[in-house]
Amino acid sequence: MLKEMSPFERDEVYKYKYFPDQFAALLAYYEVKKCVRDHFLNTSNLYLKKDYLGRPRLEGWSGDISLSHTDGCVLIGTVNYGNIGVDIQRIEPLNEGVEHLFLSEKEKAHFYSLPNDEKTNYLFTIWTLKEALLKCQGSGFLAKSPTDVSFSLDHTFKKVIAVEGTEIINMKFKLFKLFNCYQAAVCYSNSEDHFQSRMEYQ
């Protein structure tokens, strides 16, 4: 796979210090190009680049892509029109007090009201949603604090009811789990109400 990568893509892979992260990045770049070729544009001339905001793009295609990987699991998203943001995280115990880093006041109030066995899932659901949203918008946490955005979810944490604190224009959200130990979120903004996503597990 590495031989098929452009010099820029190889440099991006080698920015990661550890081999598992390098391999996950390599797999993500390979799979996102394969997904675009299979579903949208049958060409071999697709090369990863970054726009002025640092978002990944594929040179030679006008659609949008998003990539995320964690602990051996890779998630990619593509849309032919509009924007997309994806995020995936391994669900594991978090340090006490971490909720102050990214939950809004409204979300913290809900978090504290939950039974202890639901709190970790809630935190990871909100975290992945905020990452996916900000990737889709192209701003990232450097431009906007995650505590300024507030999500309201249904009682199963599987559906977004409302979003406050950010401009939402035709944004749609998908939430799902993989192997019961990975939380994933997708945010996309196209009018056709469909997207292509693909997950790979090392």
Side-chain angles (χ1 to χ4, degrees):
M1 285 190 293
L2 195 59
K3 291 180 180 178
E4 299 178 23
M5 300 291 144
S6 70
F8 173 80
E9 291 166 343
R10 287 195 292 270
D11 288 345
E12 289 294 299
V13 167
Y14 288 126
K15 281 182 180 178
Y16 293 96
K17 184 176 180 180
Y18 300 107
F19 175 75
D21 296 323
Q22 292 174 349
F23 185 75
L26 178 64
L27 184 61
Y29 300 159
Y30 176 84
E31 287 295 335
V32 76
K33 290 192 283 188
K34 183 178 186 303
C35 186
V36 169
R37 289 188 190 110
D38 289 348
H39 297 284
F40 300 117
L41 186 67
N42 187 16
T43 177
S44 59
N45 298 320
L46 291 172
Y47 298 102
L48 187 79
K49 61 178 182 177
K50 289 190 176 179
D51 64 15
Y52 70 99
L53 292 171
R55 299 180 77 241
R57 299 288 187 188
L58 283 177
E59 191 171 357
W61 183 55
S62 61
D64 195 25
I65 65 173
S66 186
L67 315 168
S68 182
H69 53 84
T70 181
D71 192 31
C73 194
V74 172
L75 175 65
I76 64 170
T78 63
V79 287
N80 208 20
Y81 304 102
N83 297 315
I84 190 167
V86 304
D87 190 56
I88 189 164
Q89 300 290 333
R90 184 177 179 88
I91 301 171
E92 53 192 359
L94 294 171
N95 293 332
E96 187 175 346
V98 71
E99 68 273 10
H100 298 291
L101 298 177
F102 63 92
L103 294 188
S104 68
E105 291 302 316
K106 184 175 180 179
E107 289 166 341
K108 281 193 284 188
H110 184 67
F111 170 74
Y112 295 136
S113 73
L114 291 172
N116 287 336
D117 61 348
E118 294 183 13
K119 288 183 174 179
T120 299
N121 279 330
Y122 179 77
L123 287 174
F124 276 96
T125 302
I126 295 295
W127 176 256
T128 55
L129 277 169
K130 291 187 178 186
E131 283 275 13
L133 170 63
L134 294 177
K135 285 181 179 181
C136 186
Q137 290 182 323
S139 55
F141 286 154
L142 293 178
K144 190 175 188 70
S145 170
T147 60
D148 292 337
V149 180
S150 187
F151 280 91
S152 297
L153 309 175
D154 72 346
H155 70 283
T156 65
F157 310 156
K158 293 180 180 178
K159 185 177 180 181
V160 174
I161 305 299
V163 190
E164 301 171 19
T166 188
E167 185 178 342
I168 301 291
I169 301 176
N170 295 326
M171 294 271 188
K172 299 178 177 75
F173 298 92
K174 301 286 185 183
L175 286 164
F176 51 95
K177 281 189 169 63
L178 179 65
F179 305 130
N180 239 7
C181 61
Y182 293 92
Q183 177 64 53
V186 178
C187 173
Y188 61 107
S189 64
N190 66 22
S191 58
E192 297 178 358
D193 197 25
H194 81 279
F195 63 92
Q196 295 291 339
S197 63
R198 183 180 178 95
M199 289 179 290
E200 293 289 341
Y201 185 76
Q202 291 172 223

